[in-house]
Amino acid sequence: MELHDVWFVLIAVLWTGYFFLEGFDFGVGVLTKLLARNRAEKRVLINTIGPVWDGNEVWLLTAGGATFAAFPEWYATLFSGFYLPLLVILICLIVRGVAFEYRVKRPEERWQRNWETAIFWTSLIPAFLWGVAFGNIAHGVKIDQDLEYVGSVWDLLNPYALLGGLVTLSLFTFHGTVFTALKTVGEIRERARNLAQRVGLVAAVLAVAFLLWTQLDRGDGKSLVALLVAVAALAVALVANQAGREGWSFALSGVTIVAAVAMLFLTLFPNVMPSTLDPDWSLTVTNASSSPYTLKIMTWLAAVATPVVLLYQGWTYWVFRKRIGTQHIAEAAH
């Protein structure tokens, strides 16, 4: 296996890790409007991800940085062609981080309500737009002979990509709902489990339609296996949630996201951005990659840094592993 193939796999792993972790993160943000009934319950939801949300975003920074260094042509075409949706995502992530920190800086009802609304929208919008972006990457976009995107922003809003956005939004919301059931106690836990069933069924219908479309469009035997794993994992996650096994349900909803993202990358390879104008104009792991020397240096750096990142992030989740409820929220925070 060539180094550019290795780095395609590593970038796929980084995006998969980001969607697994930030997926439930976004889902919990959406639940601040769908599940929480009062200020204390909103605080419980926010506290479930409070210690980990910023660490989850490290995966996005690493995935973007790795793409820039390993596949500069891919990075340039992607970020120039998808400039507007990626800018909206960036703004949402900035506002979202500020909202987490500023929400409790003042006690006024209006102040806290406005920041809670910001958390909701800046969780929902990126959850949808990431699906739109990766739907376009997998399906192909208008790339010319100079390896540049020549379409418009409206070309990105095609039916396949919009369905991909609905899939990521519903899957992330389901992932966040079962995470909430796993991390909370009392009435909010029960309501989260009940909501997870309804959201999970919607996610299942959308995901099956999207993955089947992907398989018929560009799939092969390997992608079919990933499709079957994703569908089976989501079905068993719903059964586990109904049985009150939140840990299994959360793990299996994560497997669903991992398998679905893996399927997209399997249908891509050896392309990184297919051209809908001419297959010969597609960006591939060969024509979009950096020099072998650059990839070699990056490989050594990744071998040293990656275990360290995994260890400290795993330690963070271990430290904050206990369930919480409204009884753990100080009265002043209500």
Side-chain angles (χ1 to χ4, degrees):
M1 182 182 286
E2 299 290 335
L3 279 179
H4 51 65
D5 297 332
V6 172
W7 274 97
F8 178 86
V9 174
L10 290 176
I11 288 172
V13 170
L14 289 171
W15 281 111
T16 302
Y18 172 67
F19 288 139
F20 179 95
L21 296 171
E22 193 84 305
F24 73 76
D25 198 325
F26 286 143
V28 171
V30 172
L31 292 181
T32 57
K33 289 288 187 183
L34 300 184
L35 184 66
R37 292 178 175 174
N38 53 50
R39 176 116 306 120
E41 290 188 352
K42 289 181 179 180
R43 186 62 183 268
V44 168
L45 291 174
I46 294 171
N47 282 5
T48 62
I49 58 173
V52 297
W53 69 266
D54 48 355
N56 294 343
E57 291 186 359
V58 170
W59 289 77
L60 172 61
L61 299 175
T62 309
T67 304
F68 171 76
F71 298 100
E73 285 284 355
W74 185 12
Y75 182 92
T77 303
L78 175 64
F79 279 78
S80 59
F82 293 22
Y83 180 81
L84 184 57
L86 293 178
L87 176 63
V88 172
I89 291 174
L90 178 60
I91 292 173
C92 285
L93 294 180
I94 292 172
V95 174
R96 189 168 181 263
V98 173
F100 282 131
E101 300 297 331
Y102 273 57
R103 176 186 169 275
V104 293
K105 296 299 183 182
R106 289 170 55 178
E108 291 89 343
E109 173 77 16
R110 183 178 178 182
W111 172 273
Q112 297 193 4
R113 185 175 63 251
N114 287 342
W115 285 118
E116 288 162 3
T117 301
I119 290 172
F120 170 76
W121 285 110
T122 56
S123 297
L124 185 149
I125 293 172
F128 175 74
L129 288 181
W130 278 126
V132 173
F134 272 82
N136 279 291
I137 292 173
H139 190 64
V141 291
K142 294 179 179 179
I143 297 176
D144 65 8
Q145 65 271 26
D146 296 321
L147 306 182
E148 295 181 357
Y149 178 72
V150 293
S152 68
V153 68
W154 303 111
D155 293 320
L156 302 178
L157 302 178
N158 55 79
Y160 177 82
L162 292 174
L163 177 59
L166 293 176
V167 169
T168 52
L169 176 58
S170 58
L171 274 180
F172 290 172
T173 304
F174 174 67
H175 197 39
T177 309
V178 293
F179 177 79
T180 299
L182 177 65
K183 286 288 294 178
T184 57
V185 294
E187 183 186 352
I188 192 170
R189 175 189 177 190
E190 297 300 322
R191 281 192 278 114
R193 211 164 65 202
N194 293 333
L195 180 61
Q197 287 300 111
R198 300 194 295 273
V199 174
L201 290 173
V202 173
V205 173
L206 294 172
V208 169
F210 178 75
L211 296 178
L212 282 175
W213 191 344
T214 305
Q215 179 65 25
L216 294 173
D217 187 32
R218 295 181 179 274
D220 56 14
K222 294 178 181 178
S223 62
L224 179 60
V225 172
L227 185 156
L228 295 175
V229 170
V231 173
L234 183 54
V236 180
L238 286 167
V239 173
N241 178 74
Q242 185 66 34
R245 304 297 297 272
E246 293 100 341
W248 280 105
S249 183
F250 176 72
L252 288 165
S253 69
V255 170
T256 302
I257 293 173
V258 169
V261 177
M263 181 184 177
L264 292 182
F265 277 96
L266 286 169
T267 59
L268 263 182
F269 186 82
N271 296 322
V272 293
M273 284 187 76
S275 173
T276 57
L277 300 179
D278 188 329
D280 293 335
W281 297 344
S282 297
L283 288 169
T284 68
V285 293
T286 304
N287 65 19
S289 68
S290 293
S291 67
Y293 180 74
T294 300
L295 295 177
K296 186 176 181 179
I297 296 298
M298 289 175 58
T299 303
W300 282 107
L301 291 174
V304 174
T306 303
V308 176
V309 173
L310 293 175
L311 283 172
Y312 81 67
Q313 192 161 21
W315 178 79
T316 301
Y317 278 92
W318 174 257
V319 170
F320 295 100
R321 66 190 182 277
K322 291 185 178 180
R323 296 176 182 266
I324 61 173
T326 53
Q327 67 270 29
H328 300 114
I329 305 299
E331 185 64 30
H334 291 199

